[in-house]
Amino acid sequence: MTGPYQGYVYAYPHKTAYRPLTPEPTLEQVWEGEDKNALFLYLHVPFCEMRCGFCNLFTRTGAPEELTSAYLDALERQAARVRDALGEATFSTAAFGGGTPTYFTAPELERLCDIADGFADLAAVPLGVETSPATATTDRLTVLAERGTTRISIGVQSFIDAEARAAVRPQKRAEVEAALDRIRAVGFPTLNIDLIYGIDGQTPVTWLHSLDAALAWRPEEIYLYPLYVRPLTGLGKLGRDWDDQRLSLYRLGRDHLLAQGYEQVSMRMFRLPGTGTGTEYCCQTDGMVGLGCGARSYTGDLHYSFEYAVGASQVRAIIDDYVQAREFGTARVGFRLDESERRRRHLIQSLLQNEGLDRAAYKARFGSDAAADFASDLSAFADRGWLNETASALRLTPEGLAHSDAIGPALFSPDVQNLMNAYEAR
Ligand SMILES: C[S@@+](CC[C@H](N)C(=O)[O-])C[C@H]1O[C@@H](n2cnc3c(N)ncnc32)[C@H](O)[C@@H]1O
Ligand code: SF4
């Protein structure tokens, strides 16, 4: 472990560990025998009005209307094929992510909701949608609210114009405030605001200023992201004491939100108590159906997706292929999880949450004790003061949670790590 910011582990294994599946299994084969209750429905919208310097998500800018409508046509074709393959299935939660789903116009968002409605009754399940300040217009927000959106998440990053510019996120605070005003006026049960720390020129004072500007809206959730700049994206330079800057801004942000009555859910996520979405989806065990290119799908032993890229020309080529595709009946690239990878995934997904790993739940699922299965990894964390082990739980200490982005990657299996390294070295 060389520093606190090795990587954001929002899913295990990471998409860079996926490889072409040969032969490609049909979706019927992939989903046969799976528990299809309480699935997560995810629709990916790979379009944005700008390409932020820090972002390595699967997205492109400047899509003309022909492309967005061709993308929706392709989504419809894919949705029909996936529904056929799934058969009877129930969904406990849904999300539109990206990119920026609200890059779509209001009528396009209606179409997107219709596609999702073919799987899950959007009026009955929690639905989260990501948006950006320029695209969070009243007409789009109104469609989303009417179609059952329960959580709207907006990327703000910083309330200081110079910092937004430094992060190559050209936006004005006035636009951000106007967007937040529109979101509150249309009305959603949960508003989430994303902020980033570790931007060039950001100081404890300016960070607190952004936090307070966000808190003025009393958002039900706030995500604090440490800035990452990876190869292939616009920003390139690492400051010498960038790690220290990020760690101290993290502590400041965390303590400030806790003092304001927020509870910490994970290193990045904070929420007002009592405002959870009430979803029954359990990320350790339940499956996911992803639609759109860039979207992943999970069964118990296979994670799969379309081809993945970050570089602008490859992203465009993959989207162009997707909109022309007629055949959506197989899983193209993916990773098969054996029993030991499933245990590892359960450990990682649980440990990186503030509530930690429930030892009885792990035992009920795998028939063994997590502390025994991962004794040497866990003792390294305990030696650093990052882990508390009790009879019922394995739980990160506050310092452990601060080092989530070192702990997650340290738990990758050698196989997954090798695949990721080989991808990065291409
Ligand atoms: C899909 S975007 C949110 C919605 C919308 N596209 C926007 O940017 O306003 C996801 C969030 O991930 C965070 N993010 C993405 N790449 C990041 C990076 N390299 N470092 C830190 N945070 C990052 C940003 O806070 C961003 O708001
Ligand atoms: S941060 Fe949001 S708006 Fe910026 S490029 Fe990434 S997905 Fe698009």
Side-chain angles (χ1 to χ4, degrees), residues 44-61 97-101 130-133 135 155 157 168-171 194 196:
H44 190 77
V45 181
F47 305 118
C48 290
E49 84 277 12
M50 58 189 159
R51 182 80 209 197
C52 307
F54 52 81
C55 182
N56 74 339
L57 297 168
F58 185 88
T59 185
R60 62 160 281 176
T61 53
T100 307
E130 288 171 3
T131 190
S132 70
T135 60
Q157 328 310 353
V168 196
R169 164 89 175 188
Q171 75 187 7
D194 287 342
I196 292 183

Coordinates of all heavy atoms in Angstrom, one line a residue, residues 44-61 97-101 130-133 135 155 157 168-171 194 196, ligand 2:
H44 N -27.7 3.4 -18.7 CA -26.6 4.3 -18.9 C -26.8 5.3 -20.1 O -27.1 4.8 -21.2 CB -25.3 3.5 -19.1 CG -24.0 4.3 -19.0 ND1 -23.5 4.7 -17.8 CD2 -23.2 4.8 -20.0 CE1 -22.4 5.4 -18.1 NE2 -22.2 5.5 -19.4
V45 N -26.5 6.5 -19.8 CA -26.6 7.6 -20.8 C -25.3 8.2 -21.1 O -24.8 9.0 -20.2 CB -27.7 8.6 -20.4 CG1 -27.8 9.7 -21.5 CG2 -29.0 8.0 -20.1
P46 N -24.6 7.8 -22.1 CA -23.2 8.2 -22.3 C -23.0 9.5 -23.0 O -22.1 9.7 -23.9 CB -22.6 7.0 -23.1 CG -23.7 6.7 -24.0 CD -25.0 6.9 -23.2
F47 N -23.7 10.5 -22.6 CA -23.6 11.9 -23.2 C -23.5 13.0 -22.2 O -24.1 12.9 -21.1 CB -24.9 12.1 -24.0 CG -25.2 11.1 -25.1 CD1 -26.4 10.3 -25.0 CD2 -24.3 10.8 -26.1 CE1 -26.7 9.3 -25.9 CE2 -24.6 9.8 -27.0 CZ -25.7 9.0 -26.9
C48 N -22.7 14.0 -22.5 CA -22.5 15.1 -21.6 C -22.4 16.4 -22.5 O -22.0 16.3 -23.6 CB -21.2 15.0 -20.8 SG -21.3 13.7 -19.5
E49 N -22.7 17.5 -21.8 CA -22.5 18.8 -22.6 C -21.1 19.3 -22.5 O -20.7 20.2 -23.2 CB -23.6 19.8 -22.1 CG -23.2 20.7 -20.9 CD -23.5 20.0 -19.6 OE1 -23.8 18.8 -19.5 OE2 -23.4 20.7 -18.6
M50 N -20.3 18.7 -21.6 CA -18.9 19.1 -21.5 C -18.1 17.8 -21.0 O -18.7 16.9 -20.5 CB -18.7 20.2 -20.5 CG -19.2 19.8 -19.1 SD -19.3 21.2 -18.0 CE -20.5 20.6 -16.7
R51 N -16.8 17.9 -21.3 CA -16.0 16.8 -20.8 C -15.1 17.3 -19.7 O -14.1 18.1 -19.9 CB -15.1 16.2 -21.9 CG -14.3 15.0 -21.5 CD -15.1 13.7 -21.4 NE -14.6 12.8 -20.4 CZ -14.9 11.5 -20.4 NH1 -15.7 11.0 -21.3 NH2 -14.4 10.7 -19.5
C52 N -15.4 17.0 -18.4 CA -14.6 17.5 -17.3 C -13.2 16.9 -17.3 O -13.1 15.7 -17.6 CB -15.4 17.3 -16.0 SG -17.1 17.9 -16.2
G53 N -12.3 17.7 -16.9 CA -10.9 17.3 -16.9 C -10.6 16.1 -16.0 O -9.7 15.3 -16.3
F54 N -11.4 15.9 -15.0 CA -11.1 14.8 -14.0 C -11.8 13.5 -14.3 O -11.6 12.5 -13.6 CB -11.5 15.3 -12.6 CG -13.0 15.8 -12.5 CD1 -14.0 14.9 -12.4 CD2 -13.2 17.2 -12.6 CE1 -15.3 15.4 -12.4 CE2 -14.5 17.6 -12.6 CZ -15.6 16.8 -12.5
C55 N -12.7 13.5 -15.3 CA -13.7 12.5 -15.3 C -13.3 11.3 -16.2 O -12.8 11.6 -17.4 CB -15.0 13.0 -15.8 SG -16.3 11.8 -15.9
N56 N -13.4 10.1 -15.7 CA -13.0 9.0 -16.6 C -14.3 8.1 -16.8 O -14.1 6.9 -17.0 CB -11.9 8.2 -16.0 CG -12.3 7.4 -14.8 OD1 -13.2 7.7 -14.2 ND2 -11.5 6.4 -14.5
L57 N -15.4 8.6 -16.7 CA -16.7 7.8 -16.9 C -16.9 7.6 -18.4 O -16.3 8.3 -19.2 CB -17.9 8.5 -16.3 CG -17.7 8.7 -14.8 CD1 -18.8 9.6 -14.2 CD2 -17.8 7.3 -14.1
F58 N -17.7 6.7 -18.7 CA -17.9 6.3 -20.1 C -18.9 7.3 -20.7 O -20.1 7.1 -20.6 CB -18.4 4.9 -20.2 CG -18.5 4.4 -21.7 CD1 -17.4 3.8 -22.3 CD2 -19.7 4.6 -22.4 CE1 -17.5 3.4 -23.6 CE2 -19.8 4.2 -23.7 CZ -18.7 3.6 -24.3
T59 N -18.4 8.3 -21.4 CA -19.3 9.3 -21.9 C -18.6 10.1 -23.0 O -17.4 10.1 -23.1 CB -19.8 10.3 -20.8 OG1 -20.7 11.2 -21.3 CG2 -18.6 11.0 -20.1
R60 N -19.4 10.8 -23.9 CA -18.9 11.7 -24.9 C -19.7 13.0 -24.9 O -20.8 13.1 -24.4 CB -18.9 11.0 -26.3 CG -20.3 10.7 -26.8 CD -20.4 10.6 -28.3 NE -20.4 11.9 -28.9 CZ -20.4 12.0 -30.2 NH1 -20.3 11.0 -31.0 NH2 -20.4 13.2 -30.8
T61 N -19.0 14.0 -25.5 CA -19.7 15.3 -25.6 C -20.3 15.5 -27.0 O -20.0 14.9 -27.9 CB -18.7 16.5 -25.3 OG1 -17.6 16.3 -26.3 CG2 -18.2 16.5 -23.9
G97 N -27.9 6.7 -15.0 CA -26.6 7.3 -14.7 C -25.9 7.6 -16.0 O -26.4 7.4 -17.1
G98 N -24.7 8.1 -15.8 CA -23.9 8.5 -17.1 C -22.5 8.8 -16.8 O -21.9 8.2 -15.8
G99 N -22.0 9.7 -17.6 CA -22.6 10.7 -18.3 C -23.7 11.5 -17.6 O -23.7 11.6 -16.4
T100 N -24.5 12.1 -18.4 CA -25.5 13.0 -17.8 C -26.9 12.6 -18.5 O -27.1 13.1 -19.6 CB -25.1 14.5 -18.2 OG1 -23.8 14.7 -17.7 CG2 -26.1 15.4 -17.5
P101 N -27.7 11.9 -17.8 CA -29.0 11.5 -18.3 C -29.8 12.7 -18.8 O -30.5 12.6 -19.8 CB -29.7 10.7 -17.2 CG -28.5 10.2 -16.4 CD -27.4 11.2 -16.5
E130 N -29.0 11.0 -12.3 CA -27.9 12.0 -12.3 C -28.2 13.2 -13.2 O -28.7 13.0 -14.3 CB -26.6 11.3 -12.6 CG -26.1 10.3 -11.6 CD -25.0 9.5 -12.0 OE1 -24.5 9.7 -13.1 OE2 -24.6 8.6 -11.2
T131 N -27.8 14.3 -12.7 CA -28.0 15.5 -13.6 C -26.8 16.5 -13.4 O -26.0 16.3 -12.5 CB -29.3 16.2 -13.3 OG1 -29.6 17.2 -14.2 CG2 -29.3 16.9 -11.9
S132 N -26.7 17.5 -14.2 CA -25.7 18.5 -14.1 C -26.4 19.9 -14.1 O -27.5 20.0 -14.6 CB -24.7 18.4 -15.3 OG -25.4 18.8 -16.5
P133 N -25.7 20.9 -13.7 CA -26.3 22.2 -13.5 C -27.0 22.7 -14.8 O -28.1 23.1 -14.8 CB -25.2 23.1 -13.1 CG -24.3 22.2 -12.3 CD -24.3 20.9 -13.1
T135 N -28.0 21.1 -17.5 CA -29.1 20.3 -18.1 C -30.3 20.1 -17.1 O -31.2 19.5 -17.5 CB -28.5 18.9 -18.5 OG1 -28.0 18.3 -17.3 CG2 -27.4 19.1 -19.6
G155 N -24.0 17.0 -10.0 CA -22.6 17.2 -9.9 C -22.3 18.7 -9.7 O -22.7 19.5 -10.6
Q157 N -19.3 19.8 -7.7 CA -17.8 19.7 -7.5 C -17.2 20.9 -6.7 O -16.6 20.6 -5.7 CB -17.0 19.7 -8.9 CG -17.8 19.0 -10.1 CD -18.3 17.6 -9.8 OE1 -18.1 17.1 -8.7 NE2 -19.1 17.0 -10.7
V168 N -11.1 21.8 -14.8 CA -11.7 21.8 -16.1 C -13.1 21.3 -16.1 O -13.5 20.4 -16.7 CB -10.8 20.8 -17.0 CG1 -11.1 21.1 -18.5 CG2 -9.3 21.1 -16.8
R169 N -13.9 22.1 -15.4 CA -15.3 22.0 -15.3 C -15.9 23.4 -15.4 O -16.2 24.0 -14.4 CB -15.6 21.3 -13.9 CG -17.1 21.4 -13.4 CD -17.9 20.3 -13.9 NE -19.2 20.3 -13.3 CZ -20.0 19.3 -13.5 NH1 -19.7 18.2 -14.1 NH2 -21.2 19.4 -13.0
P170 N -16.0 23.8 -16.6 CA -16.4 25.2 -16.8 C -17.8 25.5 -16.4 O -18.7 25.1 -17.1 CB -16.1 25.5 -18.3 CG -16.2 24.1 -18.9 CD -15.8 23.1 -17.9
Q171 N -18.1 26.1 -15.3 CA -19.4 26.4 -14.8 C -19.4 27.6 -13.9 O -18.3 27.8 -13.2 CB -20.1 25.2 -14.2 CG -19.6 24.9 -12.8 CD -20.2 23.6 -12.2 OE1 -20.8 22.8 -12.9 NE2 -19.9 23.4 -10.9
D194 N -22.8 16.3 -5.4 CA -21.5 15.8 -5.4 C -20.5 17.0 -5.3 O -20.6 18.0 -6.0 CB -21.2 15.2 -6.8 CG -21.8 13.9 -7.0 OD1 -22.2 13.2 -6.1 OD2 -21.9 13.5 -8.2
I196 N -16.1 17.8 -4.9 CA -14.7 17.2 -5.1 C -13.7 18.0 -4.2 O -13.8 19.3 -4.2 CB -14.3 17.3 -6.5 CG1 -15.2 16.3 -7.4 CG2 -12.8 16.9 -6.7 CD1 -14.8 16.2 -8.8
Ligands
SF4_2 S1 -18.3 14.8 -14.5 FE1 -20.3 14.6 -15.3 S2 -20.5 16.2 -16.9 FE2 -18.4 16.0 -16.4 S3 -17.6 14.6 -18.0 FE3 -18.1 13.3 -16.1 S4 -20.1 12.6 -16.4 FE4 -19.9 14.3 -17.9

